[in-house]
Amino acid sequence: MQQPAKKFYTPPEALQKIAAFCTYQERTFKETEEKLRSYGLTEDEAGEIIIRLSREKLLDEERYAKSFVRGKYRLKKWGRRRILQDLKFKGISEYCIKQGMKEIDGDEYYQNLVDVLEKKDRQEKEKNPRIRRQKLQLFMTSKGYESDLIKMALDDLGKEKTNDEDE
């Protein structure tokens, strides 16, 4: 089956389309530029449109970073390291990343870690305590949590279990 020919837009047409694209959800400069380039615009034309969108507050990487961080740590329960890695991959500036990371509340963050760990612990079938702990640690690392916090939460989890067994 033949793919339809790519449609190319004039800068005014592209501006209208990309404004709707940016209004629908927060976007990065990189993502927006790629979309504009796919419309057949030159780098200069795309740059001018991005500047205009930025001036009109339709495109704001700091706002994007804050929204991204809130969503990933509150809804997906990701750790700082994974969020940071994703923002860098998306081409977000260091300044915007720092501003976004300020959205993380330390107490809520640790509670997320504990909740995710407890849920995974309930699902884990491994009986050997050492291997079980390694598996949990590996899982939490893959979620982007810091090793020291994981260790602290695992230690607390171990204490809770022995307290439950004592009763």
Side-chain angles (χ1 to χ4, degrees), residues 124 128-141 154:
E124 185 54 57
N128 182 321
R130 196 174 53 79
I131 296 173
R132 182 185 193 91
R133 185 178 171 102
Q134 283 176 339
K135 282 186 168 189
L136 291 172
Q137 177 131 20
L138 189 63
F139 174 76
M140 296 307 290
T141 302
L154 281 168

Side-chain angles (χ1 to χ4, degrees), residues 15-158:
L15 177 62
Q16 272 193 313
K17 277 195 75 67
I18 206 72
F21 178 71
C22 291
T23 304
Y24 178 70
Q25 77 180 45
E26 295 290 343
R27 308 286 180 178
T28 66
F29 289 158
K30 183 177 170 185
E31 195 177 3
T32 306
E33 184 182 13
E34 286 170 3
K35 188 77 164 172
L36 286 167
R37 300 283 288 173
S38 78
Y39 293 164
L41 298 180
T42 67
E43 197 173 323
D44 289 343
E45 290 169 332
E48 285 177 31
I49 290 175
I50 286 174
I51 290 168
R52 183 164 173 190
L53 292 170
S54 204
R55 253 190 263 126
E56 293 175 10
K57 294 287 183 211
L58 287 172
L59 196 58
D60 184 338
E61 280 202 335
E62 185 176 334
R63 191 175 63 210
Y64 174 88
K66 288 179 175 182
S67 169
F68 183 87
V69 169
R70 276 192 308 271
K72 298 303 178 194
Y73 112 89
R74 286 209 172 116
L75 303 174
K76 294 245 186 208
K77 309 269 191 241
W78 282 8
R80 284 186 187 99
R81 290 175 46 225
R82 181 155 178 200
I83 293 170
L84 192 71
Q85 188 179 14
D86 253 43
L87 286 171
K88 283 181 180 176
F89 178 75
K90 291 177 180 292
I92 305 296
S93 72
E94 283 297 319
Y95 172 80
C96 291
I97 290 174
K98 280 185 180 134
Q99 295 308 307
M101 296 304 273
K102 288 180 182 176
E103 294 293 303
I104 296 177
D105 172 69
D107 295 338
E108 186 180 348
Y109 180 78
Y110 185 73
Q111 191 55 52
N112 282 351
L113 184 157
V114 169
D115 293 346
V116 171
L117 183 62
E118 287 174 346
K119 182 178 178 188
K120 185 67 178 172
D121 186 49
R122 285 192 299 273
Q123 295 170 343
E124 185 54 57
K125 291 170 176 42
E126 180 60 54
K127 297 290 182 222
N128 182 321
R130 196 174 53 79
I131 296 173
R132 182 185 193 91
R133 185 178 171 102
Q134 283 176 339
K135 282 186 168 189
L136 291 172
Q137 177 131 20
L138 189 63
F139 174 76
M140 296 307 290
T141 302
S142 75
K143 290 287 276 185
Y145 288 98
E146 300 87 336
S147 310
D148 55 333
L149 292 178
I150 296 170
K151 185 180 178 334
M152 204 161 70
L154 281 168
D155 291 345
D156 290 347
L157 186 68

